[in-house]
Amino acid sequence: MTLKEFSVTEFGRLAEMHGGDIGRWPDPVRGPALVLLARSDAARAILDEAKAVDALLDRASVPAVSDERAERVLARLSDRLDNMAPPVPYSLMATRGTLRLWPTAGFLVAMGVAGFLVCASGLLPAPAAASDFTSVLGGTSYAGTTYLGRL
Amino acid sequence: MTDADDETLMGEVATGNRAAFDILSRRHLKRSLTLAQRVVGNAHDAEEVVQDAFLQIWTRADRWHDNGARFTTWLYRIVVNRAIDYRRRRSFDPLEEAGEMPDGGIDAETAVSDRQIAAAVDDAIGSLPDRQRAALSLCYYEELSCAEASEVMQVSVSAMESLLVRARRVVRSRLQPLIRQKDGGKS
């Protein structure tokens, strides 16, 4: 980004994004930002406001993570791990997936055979035979228009 | 092994090496807890989030591929996602755009103590939508670059920048009375 392209608007956008410390802005824009800052009252006002927001953000409560707390969490984590099965390597998981294929395939074949037997024994009512091909495909739309079958 | 870098240790963890996992979790626990607490908002839930995150790392270690990605990016992604899920389960999630309105809760005329200021700032950050709060936590408090944070949150850099800008605008808007007070009522 050249100095010519670096407007106060862009400066303001960067300040809103990265805050009032130009040292924390991305490398390529730091130089042009400092140059603009030196010659623009508007840029200085923008940066002052961003610094004020930073100063307040710095006043937020800092989560306290003492050594004792960390050890307590690690101990609980360790307990939970001890009660778990060891991780299954992904390669083995893939193998397991393949092995599970056979019960599924067996079930599907059994269901197919059962379906064939039910149909063959005449337990299910068979639909009336269609008189011709177009009557099977034809019909009447919701709007009442007949199509294909009566052509 | 204690001197090994994160990615080497993660390679060991993927083979089921518990000692490597212990080093890795000890190395990153405090920072993970801090990040989780900033996103989820309280210490107890943060501890649950971090335990779940490290358990996920242990059980899914085989999915880790050291193809140039940093371990911490993966870790923070899990922590942030779990923290956001945790918070959503616990409470109503405000809309992304819902925080733009100023809050009149702080009276500029009243001198406020440090503790009150901290509480007001905590409230302002706590009122942010989850993703904006996560963005602010990663970029401002954890000092990640926008590019790094965008990888953690799995969004584009421009989307990350947008989250950051909106987060800071909401905070500024809600804390405007304090900013004016600090400036002596100039603005």
Side-chain angles (χ1 to χ4, degrees), chain A residues 16 24 54 57-59 61 67 69 71 76 78 80 82 84 89-90, chain B residues 18 26 30 37 47 51-52 58-59 62 114 122 140-141 168-169:
Chain A
E16 275 198 312
R24 291 177 65 169
D54 287 354
L57 287 173
D58 290 341
R59 304 285 287 275
S61 305
D67 289 344
R69 185 182 170 200
E71 289 302 325
R76 283 209 300 267
S78 182
R80 288 177 68 178
D82 289 341
M84 280 174 62
Y90 196 67
Chain B
R18 177 78 178 267
R26 186 170 290 275
K30 283 189 175 183
Q37 194 163 330
E47 290 176 13
Q51 284 180 58
D52 288 350
W58 173 251
T59 54
D62 268 42
D114 285 353
D122 288 347
Y140 189 78
Y141 292 111
R168 286 183 65 100
R169 276 183 190 163

PDB file of all heavy atoms in Angstrom, chain A residues 16 24 54 57-59 61 67 69 71 76 78 80 82 84 89-90, chain B residues 18 26 30 37 47 51-52 58-59 62 114 122 140-141 168-169:
ATOM      1  N   GLU A  16      -9.810   0.611  14.059  1.00  0.00           N
ATOM      2  CA  GLU A  16     -10.953  -0.115  14.625  1.00  0.00           C
ATOM      3  C   GLU A  16     -10.667  -1.609  14.703  1.00  0.00           C
ATOM      4  O   GLU A  16     -11.186  -2.311  15.550  1.00  0.00           O
ATOM      5  CB  GLU A  16     -12.184   0.097  13.737  1.00  0.00           C
ATOM      6  CG  GLU A  16     -12.930   1.374  14.067  1.00  0.00           C
ATOM      7  CD  GLU A  16     -14.339   1.344  13.508  1.00  0.00           C
ATOM      8  OE1 GLU A  16     -14.487   1.007  12.324  1.00  0.00           O
ATOM      9  OE2 GLU A  16     -15.267   1.677  14.249  1.00  0.00           O
ATOM     10  N   ARG A  24       1.105  -3.053  16.702  1.00  0.00           N
ATOM     11  CA  ARG A  24       0.374  -4.312  16.548  1.00  0.00           C
ATOM     12  C   ARG A  24      -0.350  -4.386  15.205  1.00  0.00           C
ATOM     13  O   ARG A  24      -1.048  -5.342  14.924  1.00  0.00           O
ATOM     14  CB  ARG A  24      -0.632  -4.490  17.694  1.00  0.00           C
ATOM     15  CG  ARG A  24       0.045  -4.732  19.014  1.00  0.00           C
ATOM     16  CD  ARG A  24      -0.946  -4.833  20.154  1.00  0.00           C
ATOM     17  NE  ARG A  24      -1.824  -5.987  20.043  1.00  0.00           N
ATOM     18  CZ  ARG A  24      -2.619  -6.394  21.026  1.00  0.00           C
ATOM     19  NH1 ARG A  24      -2.636  -5.747  22.161  1.00  0.00           N
ATOM     20  NH2 ARG A  24      -3.396  -7.436  20.853  1.00  0.00           N
ATOM     21  N   ASP A  54      -8.653   0.530  23.843  1.00  0.00           N
ATOM     22  CA  ASP A  54      -7.633  -0.441  24.298  1.00  0.00           C
ATOM     23  C   ASP A  54      -7.450  -0.362  25.811  1.00  0.00           C
ATOM     24  O   ASP A  54      -7.353  -1.388  26.502  1.00  0.00           O
ATOM     25  CB  ASP A  54      -6.279  -0.157  23.640  1.00  0.00           C
ATOM     26  CG  ASP A  54      -6.247  -0.547  22.174  1.00  0.00           C
ATOM     27  OD1 ASP A  54      -7.241  -1.136  21.695  1.00  0.00           O
ATOM     28  OD2 ASP A  54      -5.235  -0.257  21.518  1.00  0.00           O
ATOM     29  N   LEU A  57     -10.228  -2.108  27.398  1.00  0.00           N
ATOM     30  CA  LEU A  57     -10.118  -3.570  27.208  1.00  0.00           C
ATOM     31  C   LEU A  57      -9.072  -4.153  28.163  1.00  0.00           C
ATOM     32  O   LEU A  57      -9.221  -5.273  28.658  1.00  0.00           O
ATOM     33  CB  LEU A  57      -9.750  -3.898  25.758  1.00  0.00           C
ATOM     34  CG  LEU A  57     -10.850  -3.709  24.712  1.00  0.00           C
ATOM     35  CD1 LEU A  57     -10.291  -3.902  23.298  1.00  0.00           C
ATOM     36  CD2 LEU A  57     -12.008  -4.667  24.953  1.00  0.00           C
ATOM     37  N   ASP A  58      -8.037  -3.362  28.424  1.00  0.00           N
ATOM     38  CA  ASP A  58      -6.984  -3.827  29.342  1.00  0.00           C
ATOM     39  C   ASP A  58      -7.464  -3.886  30.790  1.00  0.00           C
ATOM     40  O   ASP A  58      -6.791  -4.473  31.640  1.00  0.00           O
ATOM     41  CB  ASP A  58      -5.755  -2.919  29.245  1.00  0.00           C
ATOM     42  CG  ASP A  58      -5.031  -3.088  27.912  1.00  0.00           C
ATOM     43  OD1 ASP A  58      -5.248  -4.121  27.244  1.00  0.00           O
ATOM     44  OD2 ASP A  58      -4.264  -2.170  27.528  1.00  0.00           O
ATOM     45  N   ARG A  59      -8.591  -3.222  31.063  1.00  0.00           N
ATOM     46  CA  ARG A  59      -9.116  -3.240  32.434  1.00  0.00           C
ATOM     47  C   ARG A  59     -10.025  -4.447  32.684  1.00  0.00           C
ATOM     48  O   ARG A  59     -10.522  -4.615  33.794  1.00  0.00           O
ATOM     49  CB  ARG A  59      -9.918  -1.959  32.696  1.00  0.00           C
ATOM     50  CG  ARG A  59      -9.139  -0.677  32.463  1.00  0.00           C
ATOM     51  CD  ARG A  59      -8.134  -0.397  33.572  1.00  0.00           C
ATOM     52  NE  ARG A  59      -8.769   0.042  34.794  1.00  0.00           N
ATOM     53  CZ  ARG A  59      -9.109   1.315  35.057  1.00  0.00           C
ATOM     54  NH1 ARG A  59      -8.871   2.240  34.156  1.00  0.00           N
ATOM     55  NH2 ARG A  59      -9.652   1.636  36.197  1.00  0.00           N
ATOM     56  N   SER A  61     -11.325  -8.151  33.478  1.00  0.00           N
ATOM     57  CA  SER A  61     -10.791  -9.145  34.409  1.00  0.00           C
ATOM     58  C   SER A  61      -9.931 -10.149  33.646  1.00  0.00           C
ATOM     59  O   SER A  61     -10.333 -10.622  32.583  1.00  0.00           O
ATOM     60  CB  SER A  61     -11.924  -9.893  35.099  1.00  0.00           C
ATOM     61  OG  SER A  61     -12.792  -8.987  35.708  1.00  0.00           O
ATOM     62  N   ASP A  67      -1.193 -22.127  39.326  1.00  0.00           N
ATOM     63  CA  ASP A  67      -0.593 -23.460  39.162  1.00  0.00           C
ATOM     64  C   ASP A  67      -1.496 -24.536  39.762  1.00  0.00           C
ATOM     65  O   ASP A  67      -1.648 -25.623  39.194  1.00  0.00           O
ATOM     66  CB  ASP A  67       0.785 -23.510  39.838  1.00  0.00           C
ATOM     67  CG  ASP A  67       1.818 -22.681  39.078  1.00  0.00           C
ATOM     68  OD1 ASP A  67       1.556 -22.340  37.901  1.00  0.00           O
ATOM     69  OD2 ASP A  67       2.867 -22.367  39.673  1.00  0.00           O
ATOM     70  N   ARG A  69      -4.750 -24.475  40.106  1.00  0.00           N
ATOM     71  CA  ARG A  69      -5.909 -24.711  39.244  1.00  0.00           C
ATOM     72  C   ARG A  69      -5.515 -25.549  38.030  1.00  0.00           C
ATOM     73  O   ARG A  69      -6.224 -26.484  37.649  1.00  0.00           O
ATOM     74  CB  ARG A  69      -6.496 -23.366  38.783  1.00  0.00           C
ATOM     75  CG  ARG A  69      -7.756 -23.510  37.988  1.00  0.00           C
ATOM     76  CD  ARG A  69      -8.282 -22.167  37.521  1.00  0.00           C
ATOM     77  NE  ARG A  69      -9.369 -22.337  36.569  1.00  0.00           N
ATOM     78  CZ  ARG A  69      -9.763 -21.417  35.723  1.00  0.00           C
ATOM     79  NH1 ARG A  69      -9.195 -20.221  35.725  1.00  0.00           N
ATOM     80  NH2 ARG A  69     -10.748 -21.644  34.885  1.00  0.00           N
ATOM     81  N   GLU A  71      -3.061 -27.679  37.820  1.00  0.00           N
ATOM     82  CA  GLU A  71      -2.806 -29.064  38.248  1.00  0.00           C
ATOM     83  C   GLU A  71      -4.112 -29.808  38.477  1.00  0.00           C
ATOM     84  O   GLU A  71      -4.223 -31.000  38.166  1.00  0.00           O
ATOM     85  CB  GLU A  71      -1.959 -29.080  39.539  1.00  0.00           C
ATOM     86  CG  GLU A  71      -0.508 -28.664  39.330  1.00  0.00           C
ATOM     87  CD  GLU A  71       0.232 -29.533  38.309  1.00  0.00           C
ATOM     88  OE1 GLU A  71      -0.042 -30.744  38.245  1.00  0.00           O
ATOM     89  OE2 GLU A  71       1.065 -28.997  37.554  1.00  0.00           O
ATOM     90  N   ARG A  76      -7.882 -34.034  36.677  1.00  0.00           N
ATOM     91  CA  ARG A  76      -9.204 -34.492  36.222  1.00  0.00           C
ATOM     92  C   ARG A  76      -9.133 -35.038  34.800  1.00  0.00           C
ATOM     93  O   ARG A  76      -9.759 -36.041  34.463  1.00  0.00           O
ATOM     94  CB  ARG A  76     -10.218 -33.347  36.305  1.00  0.00           C
ATOM     95  CG  ARG A  76     -10.702 -33.073  37.723  1.00  0.00           C
ATOM     96  CD  ARG A  76     -12.124 -32.513  37.717  1.00  0.00           C
ATOM     97  NE  ARG A  76     -12.220 -31.274  36.978  1.00  0.00           N
ATOM     98  CZ  ARG A  76     -12.102 -30.057  37.521  1.00  0.00           C
ATOM     99  NH1 ARG A  76     -11.878 -29.936  38.811  1.00  0.00           N
ATOM    100  NH2 ARG A  76     -12.233 -28.971  36.798  1.00  0.00           N
ATOM    101  N   SER A  78      -6.529 -36.400  33.466  1.00  0.00           N
ATOM    102  CA  SER A  78      -5.830 -37.672  33.548  1.00  0.00           C
ATOM    103  C   SER A  78      -6.794 -38.780  33.992  1.00  0.00           C
ATOM    104  O   SER A  78      -6.786 -39.887  33.443  1.00  0.00           O
ATOM    105  CB  SER A  78      -4.657 -37.540  34.525  1.00  0.00           C
ATOM    106  OG  SER A  78      -3.948 -38.746  34.580  1.00  0.00           O
ATOM    107  N   ARG A  80     -10.025 -38.873  33.564  1.00  0.00           N
ATOM    108  CA  ARG A  80     -10.952 -39.176  32.472  1.00  0.00           C
ATOM    109  C   ARG A  80     -10.269 -40.029  31.403  1.00  0.00           C
ATOM    110  O   ARG A  80     -10.884 -40.928  30.827  1.00  0.00           O
ATOM    111  CB  ARG A  80     -11.490 -37.879  31.856  1.00  0.00           C
ATOM    112  CG  ARG A  80     -12.482 -37.178  32.779  1.00  0.00           C
ATOM    113  CD  ARG A  80     -12.968 -35.867  32.210  1.00  0.00           C
ATOM    114  NE  ARG A  80     -13.808 -36.016  31.022  1.00  0.00           N
ATOM    115  CZ  ARG A  80     -14.372 -34.992  30.383  1.00  0.00           C
ATOM    116  NH1 ARG A  80     -14.195 -33.756  30.821  1.00  0.00           N
ATOM    117  NH2 ARG A  80     -15.111 -35.197  29.317  1.00  0.00           N
ATOM    118  N   ASP A  82      -7.794 -42.102  31.971  1.00  0.00           N
ATOM    119  CA  ASP A  82      -7.590 -43.445  32.518  1.00  0.00           C
ATOM    120  C   ASP A  82      -8.839 -44.312  32.369  1.00  0.00           C
ATOM    121  O   ASP A  82      -8.757 -45.529  32.277  1.00  0.00           O
ATOM    122  CB  ASP A  82      -7.212 -43.352  34.000  1.00  0.00           C
ATOM    123  CG  ASP A  82      -5.806 -42.789  34.187  1.00  0.00           C
ATOM    124  OD1 ASP A  82      -5.027 -42.818  33.212  1.00  0.00           O
ATOM    125  OD2 ASP A  82      -5.497 -42.311  35.295  1.00  0.00           O
ATOM    126  N   MET A  84     -10.888 -44.168  29.915  1.00  0.00           N
ATOM    127  CA  MET A  84     -11.253 -44.309  28.507  1.00  0.00           C
ATOM    128  C   MET A  84     -10.471 -45.434  27.854  1.00  0.00           C
ATOM    129  O   MET A  84      -9.371 -45.755  28.287  1.00  0.00           O
ATOM    130  CB  MET A  84     -10.906 -43.020  27.726  1.00  0.00           C
ATOM    131  CG  MET A  84     -11.906 -41.915  27.887  1.00  0.00           C
ATOM    132  SD  MET A  84     -11.287 -40.457  27.063  1.00  0.00           S
ATOM    133  CE  MET A  84     -11.204 -41.025  25.385  1.00  0.00           C
ATOM    134  N   PRO A  89      -6.449 -46.356  16.253  1.00  0.00           N
ATOM    135  CA  PRO A  89      -5.831 -45.757  15.068  1.00  0.00           C
ATOM    136  C   PRO A  89      -6.817 -45.692  13.916  1.00  0.00           C
ATOM    137  O   PRO A  89      -7.641 -46.578  13.742  1.00  0.00           O
ATOM    138  CB  PRO A  89      -4.667 -46.699  14.753  1.00  0.00           C
ATOM    139  CG  PRO A  89      -4.363 -47.349  16.056  1.00  0.00           C
ATOM    140  CD  PRO A  89      -5.669 -47.466  16.777  1.00  0.00           C
ATOM    141  N   TYR A  90      -6.749 -44.623  13.167  1.00  0.00           N
ATOM    142  CA  TYR A  90      -7.699 -44.368  12.085  1.00  0.00           C
ATOM    143  C   TYR A  90      -7.702 -45.521  11.073  1.00  0.00           C
ATOM    144  O   TYR A  90      -8.754 -45.892  10.564  1.00  0.00           O
ATOM    145  CB  TYR A  90      -7.324 -43.055  11.400  1.00  0.00           C
ATOM    146  CG  TYR A  90      -8.421 -42.503  10.549  1.00  0.00           C
ATOM    147  CD1 TYR A  90      -9.597 -42.047  11.129  1.00  0.00           C
ATOM    148  CD2 TYR A  90      -8.284 -42.419   9.171  1.00  0.00           C
ATOM    149  CE1 TYR A  90     -10.620 -41.529  10.360  1.00  0.00           C
ATOM    150  CE2 TYR A  90      -9.302 -41.899   8.399  1.00  0.00           C
ATOM    151  CZ  TYR A  90     -10.458 -41.457   8.995  1.00  0.00           C
ATOM    152  OH  TYR A  90     -11.464 -40.941   8.221  1.00  0.00           O
TER     153      TYR A  90
ATOM    154  N   ARG B  18       1.110 -41.704  25.623  1.00  0.00           N
ATOM    155  CA  ARG B  18       0.467 -40.899  26.667  1.00  0.00           C
ATOM    156  C   ARG B  18       1.431 -39.878  27.272  1.00  0.00           C
ATOM    157  O   ARG B  18       1.029 -38.773  27.643  1.00  0.00           O
ATOM    158  CB  ARG B  18      -0.063 -41.856  27.747  1.00  0.00           C
ATOM    159  CG  ARG B  18      -0.703 -41.198  28.939  1.00  0.00           C
ATOM    160  CD  ARG B  18      -2.095 -40.720  28.669  1.00  0.00           C
ATOM    161  NE  ARG B  18      -2.641 -40.155  29.894  1.00  0.00           N
ATOM    162  CZ  ARG B  18      -3.360 -40.830  30.767  1.00  0.00           C
ATOM    163  NH1 ARG B  18      -3.657 -42.105  30.556  1.00  0.00           N
ATOM    164  NH2 ARG B  18      -3.811 -40.246  31.874  1.00  0.00           N
ATOM    165  N   ARG B  26       0.155 -30.247  29.345  1.00  0.00           N
ATOM    166  CA  ARG B  26       0.711 -29.385  30.392  1.00  0.00           C
ATOM    167  C   ARG B  26       1.247 -28.084  29.781  1.00  0.00           C
ATOM    168  O   ARG B  26       1.075 -27.012  30.339  1.00  0.00           O
ATOM    169  CB  ARG B  26       1.835 -30.140  31.118  1.00  0.00           C
ATOM    170  CG  ARG B  26       2.429 -29.434  32.319  1.00  0.00           C
ATOM    171  CD  ARG B  26       3.350 -30.365  33.081  1.00  0.00           C
ATOM    172  NE  ARG B  26       2.617 -31.423  33.762  1.00  0.00           N
ATOM    173  CZ  ARG B  26       2.076 -31.297  34.965  1.00  0.00           C
ATOM    174  NH1 ARG B  26       2.177 -30.149  35.609  1.00  0.00           N
ATOM    175  NH2 ARG B  26       1.433 -32.295  35.530  1.00  0.00           N
ATOM    176  N   LYS B  30      -2.654 -23.757  30.457  1.00  0.00           N
ATOM    177  CA  LYS B  30      -2.990 -22.437  31.019  1.00  0.00           C
ATOM    178  C   LYS B  30      -3.529 -21.492  29.943  1.00  0.00           C
ATOM    179  O   LYS B  30      -4.518 -20.797  30.169  1.00  0.00           O
ATOM    180  CB  LYS B  30      -1.761 -21.817  31.697  1.00  0.00           C
ATOM    181  CG  LYS B  30      -1.465 -22.420  33.068  1.00  0.00           C
ATOM    182  CD  LYS B  30      -0.393 -21.618  33.777  1.00  0.00           C
ATOM    183  CE  LYS B  30      -0.188 -22.133  35.185  1.00  0.00           C
ATOM    184  NZ  LYS B  30       0.805 -21.348  35.941  1.00  0.00           N
ATOM    185  N   GLN B  37     -11.951 -19.351  28.991  1.00  0.00           N
ATOM    186  CA  GLN B  37     -12.677 -18.538  29.977  1.00  0.00           C
ATOM    187  C   GLN B  37     -13.113 -17.203  29.384  1.00  0.00           C
ATOM    188  O   GLN B  37     -14.171 -16.680  29.712  1.00  0.00           O
ATOM    189  CB  GLN B  37     -11.808 -18.323  31.221  1.00  0.00           C
ATOM    190  CG  GLN B  37     -12.606 -17.782  32.398  1.00  0.00           C
ATOM    191  CD  GLN B  37     -11.899 -17.941  33.720  1.00  0.00           C
ATOM    192  OE1 GLN B  37     -11.131 -18.873  33.915  1.00  0.00           O
ATOM    193  NE2 GLN B  37     -12.152 -17.018  34.633  1.00  0.00           N
ATOM    194  N   GLU B  47     -13.050 -24.850  32.436  1.00  0.00           N
ATOM    195  CA  GLU B  47     -12.320 -26.079  32.773  1.00  0.00           C
ATOM    196  C   GLU B  47     -12.924 -27.285  32.047  1.00  0.00           C
ATOM    197  O   GLU B  47     -12.200 -28.154  31.557  1.00  0.00           O
ATOM    198  CB  GLU B  47     -12.322 -26.283  34.292  1.00  0.00           C
ATOM    199  CG  GLU B  47     -11.457 -25.256  35.008  1.00  0.00           C
ATOM    200  CD  GLU B  47     -11.509 -25.356  36.518  1.00  0.00           C
ATOM    201  OE1 GLU B  47     -12.030 -26.375  37.034  1.00  0.00           O
ATOM    202  OE2 GLU B  47     -11.024 -24.422  37.190  1.00  0.00           O
ATOM    203  N   GLN B  51     -10.936 -29.559  29.264  1.00  0.00           N
ATOM    204  CA  GLN B  51     -10.815 -31.006  29.414  1.00  0.00           C
ATOM    205  C   GLN B  51     -11.376 -31.717  28.185  1.00  0.00           C
ATOM    206  O   GLN B  51     -10.748 -32.638  27.644  1.00  0.00           O
ATOM    207  CB  GLN B  51     -11.584 -31.469  30.654  1.00  0.00           C
ATOM    208  CG  GLN B  51     -10.888 -31.182  31.963  1.00  0.00           C
ATOM    209  CD  GLN B  51     -11.729 -31.690  33.122  1.00  0.00           C
ATOM    210  OE1 GLN B  51     -12.046 -32.877  33.201  1.00  0.00           O
ATOM    211  NE2 GLN B  51     -12.104 -30.788  34.003  1.00  0.00           N
ATOM    212  N   ASP B  52     -12.564 -31.295  27.763  1.00  0.00           N
ATOM    213  CA  ASP B  52     -13.175 -31.910  26.568  1.00  0.00           C
ATOM    214  C   ASP B  52     -12.287 -31.729  25.339  1.00  0.00           C
ATOM    215  O   ASP B  52     -12.148 -32.632  24.515  1.00  0.00           O
ATOM    216  CB  ASP B  52     -14.548 -31.282  26.289  1.00  0.00           C
ATOM    217  CG  ASP B  52     -15.591 -31.710  27.316  1.00  0.00           C
ATOM    218  OD1 ASP B  52     -15.299 -32.621  28.101  1.00  0.00           O
ATOM    219  OD2 ASP B  52     -16.686 -31.118  27.319  1.00  0.00           O
ATOM    220  N   TRP B  58      -6.812 -36.270  22.152  1.00  0.00           N
ATOM    221  CA  TRP B  58      -6.311 -37.621  22.405  1.00  0.00           C
ATOM    222  C   TRP B  58      -7.049 -38.644  21.538  1.00  0.00           C
ATOM    223  O   TRP B  58      -6.421 -39.488  20.895  1.00  0.00           O
ATOM    224  CB  TRP B  58      -6.469 -37.951  23.896  1.00  0.00           C
ATOM    225  CG  TRP B  58      -6.143 -39.362  24.268  1.00  0.00           C
ATOM    226  CD1 TRP B  58      -7.026 -40.332  24.641  1.00  0.00           C
ATOM    227  CD2 TRP B  58      -4.845 -39.966  24.307  1.00  0.00           C
ATOM    228  NE1 TRP B  58      -6.365 -41.495  24.916  1.00  0.00           N
ATOM    229  CE2 TRP B  58      -5.017 -41.298  24.724  1.00  0.00           C
ATOM    230  CE3 TRP B  58      -3.556 -39.506  24.029  1.00  0.00           C
ATOM    231  CZ2 TRP B  58      -3.957 -42.174  24.871  1.00  0.00           C
ATOM    232  CZ3 TRP B  58      -2.490 -40.401  24.179  1.00  0.00           C
ATOM    233  CH2 TRP B  58      -2.699 -41.713  24.582  1.00  0.00           C
ATOM    234  N   THR B  59      -8.373 -38.542  21.508  1.00  0.00           N
ATOM    235  CA  THR B  59      -9.138 -39.565  20.798  1.00  0.00           C
ATOM    236  C   THR B  59      -9.067 -39.405  19.279  1.00  0.00           C
ATOM    237  O   THR B  59      -9.267 -40.361  18.546  1.00  0.00           O
ATOM    238  CB  THR B  59     -10.622 -39.541  21.228  1.00  0.00           C
ATOM    239  OG1 THR B  59     -11.121 -38.224  21.064  1.00  0.00           O
ATOM    240  CG2 THR B  59     -10.782 -39.969  22.660  1.00  0.00           C
ATOM    241  N   ASP B  62      -5.237 -39.319  15.486  1.00  0.00           N
ATOM    242  CA  ASP B  62      -4.913 -39.850  14.157  1.00  0.00           C
ATOM    243  C   ASP B  62      -5.316 -38.916  13.030  1.00  0.00           C
ATOM    244  O   ASP B  62      -4.840 -39.048  11.909  1.00  0.00           O
ATOM    245  CB  ASP B  62      -5.613 -41.194  13.963  1.00  0.00           C
ATOM    246  CG  ASP B  62      -4.721 -42.327  14.383  1.00  0.00           C
ATOM    247  OD1 ASP B  62      -4.055 -42.177  15.428  1.00  0.00           O
ATOM    248  OD2 ASP B  62      -4.687 -43.349  13.672  1.00  0.00           O
ATOM    249  N   ASP B 114     -12.179   1.327  40.053  1.00  0.00           N
ATOM    250  CA  ASP B 114     -11.511   0.390  39.154  1.00  0.00           C
ATOM    251  C   ASP B 114     -12.322  -0.894  38.992  1.00  0.00           C
ATOM    252  O   ASP B 114     -12.425  -1.454  37.898  1.00  0.00           O
ATOM    253  CB  ASP B 114     -10.129   0.040  39.704  1.00  0.00           C
ATOM    254  CG  ASP B 114      -9.154   1.178  39.510  1.00  0.00           C
ATOM    255  OD1 ASP B 114      -9.529   2.165  38.835  1.00  0.00           O
ATOM    256  OD2 ASP B 114      -8.035   1.112  40.038  1.00  0.00           O
ATOM    257  N   ASP B 122     -16.114  -6.122  31.462  1.00  0.00           N
ATOM    258  CA  ASP B 122     -16.492  -7.546  31.382  1.00  0.00           C
ATOM    259  C   ASP B 122     -17.894  -7.700  30.805  1.00  0.00           C
ATOM    260  O   ASP B 122     -18.142  -8.581  29.974  1.00  0.00           O
ATOM    261  CB  ASP B 122     -16.442  -8.197  32.768  1.00  0.00           C
ATOM    262  CG  ASP B 122     -15.018  -8.381  33.265  1.00  0.00           C
ATOM    263  OD1 ASP B 122     -14.085  -8.244  32.454  1.00  0.00           O
ATOM    264  OD2 ASP B 122     -14.834  -8.655  34.470  1.00  0.00           O
ATOM    265  N   TYR B 140      -6.970  -9.667  20.227  1.00  0.00           N
ATOM    266  CA  TYR B 140      -6.514  -8.642  21.169  1.00  0.00           C
ATOM    267  C   TYR B 140      -5.798  -9.273  22.369  1.00  0.00           C
ATOM    268  O   TYR B 140      -4.674  -8.901  22.685  1.00  0.00           O
ATOM    269  CB  TYR B 140      -7.688  -7.778  21.653  1.00  0.00           C
ATOM    270  CG  TYR B 140      -7.189  -6.593  22.459  1.00  0.00           C
ATOM    271  CD1 TYR B 140      -6.657  -5.478  21.816  1.00  0.00           C
ATOM    272  CD2 TYR B 140      -7.179  -6.613  23.843  1.00  0.00           C
ATOM    273  CE1 TYR B 140      -6.137  -4.413  22.538  1.00  0.00           C
ATOM    274  CE2 TYR B 140      -6.664  -5.553  24.571  1.00  0.00           C
ATOM    275  CZ  TYR B 140      -6.154  -4.450  23.913  1.00  0.00           C
ATOM    276  OH  TYR B 140      -5.632  -3.404  24.626  1.00  0.00           O
ATOM    277  N   TYR B 141      -6.448 -10.235  23.004  1.00  0.00           N
ATOM    278  CA  TYR B 141      -5.869 -10.773  24.240  1.00  0.00           C
ATOM    279  C   TYR B 141      -4.800 -11.841  23.991  1.00  0.00           C
ATOM    280  O   TYR B 141      -3.803 -11.887  24.682  1.00  0.00           O
ATOM    281  CB  TYR B 141      -6.977 -11.316  25.141  1.00  0.00           C
ATOM    282  CG  TYR B 141      -7.868 -10.215  25.678  1.00  0.00           C
ATOM    283  CD1 TYR B 141      -9.184 -10.080  25.256  1.00  0.00           C
ATOM    284  CD2 TYR B 141      -7.387  -9.280  26.590  1.00  0.00           C
ATOM    285  CE1 TYR B 141      -9.989  -9.060  25.726  1.00  0.00           C
ATOM    286  CE2 TYR B 141      -8.192  -8.249  27.067  1.00  0.00           C
ATOM    287  CZ  TYR B 141      -9.491  -8.142  26.627  1.00  0.00           C
ATOM    288  OH  TYR B 141     -10.287  -7.116  27.089  1.00  0.00           O
ATOM    289  N   ARG B 168     -15.157  -4.410  18.381  1.00  0.00           N
ATOM    290  CA  ARG B 168     -14.608  -3.190  18.999  1.00  0.00           C
ATOM    291  C   ARG B 168     -15.621  -2.048  18.961  1.00  0.00           C
ATOM    292  O   ARG B 168     -15.690  -1.243  19.886  1.00  0.00           O
ATOM    293  CB  ARG B 168     -13.297  -2.796  18.307  1.00  0.00           C
ATOM    294  CG  ARG B 168     -12.125  -3.695  18.678  1.00  0.00           C
ATOM    295  CD  ARG B 168     -10.846  -3.202  18.031  1.00  0.00           C
ATOM    296  NE  ARG B 168     -10.461  -1.899  18.530  1.00  0.00           N
ATOM    297  CZ  ARG B 168      -9.539  -1.691  19.462  1.00  0.00           C
ATOM    298  NH1 ARG B 168      -8.910  -2.703  20.002  1.00  0.00           N
ATOM    299  NH2 ARG B 168      -9.245  -0.469  19.842  1.00  0.00           N
ATOM    300  N   ARG B 169     -16.436  -1.986  17.910  1.00  0.00           N
ATOM    301  CA  ARG B 169     -17.464  -0.936  17.836  1.00  0.00           C
ATOM    302  C   ARG B 169     -18.484  -1.108  18.958  1.00  0.00           C
ATOM    303  O   ARG B 169     -18.904  -0.142  19.583  1.00  0.00           O
ATOM    304  CB  ARG B 169     -18.191  -0.990  16.489  1.00  0.00           C
ATOM    305  CG  ARG B 169     -17.461  -0.264  15.404  1.00  0.00           C
ATOM    306  CD  ARG B 169     -18.263  -0.282  14.117  1.00  0.00           C
ATOM    307  NE  ARG B 169     -17.457   0.218  13.014  1.00  0.00           N
ATOM    308  CZ  ARG B 169     -17.759   0.031  11.742  1.00  0.00           C
ATOM    309  NH1 ARG B 169     -18.835  -0.643  11.397  1.00  0.00           N
ATOM    310  NH2 ARG B 169     -16.980   0.530  10.795  1.00  0.00           N
TER     311      ARG B 169
END
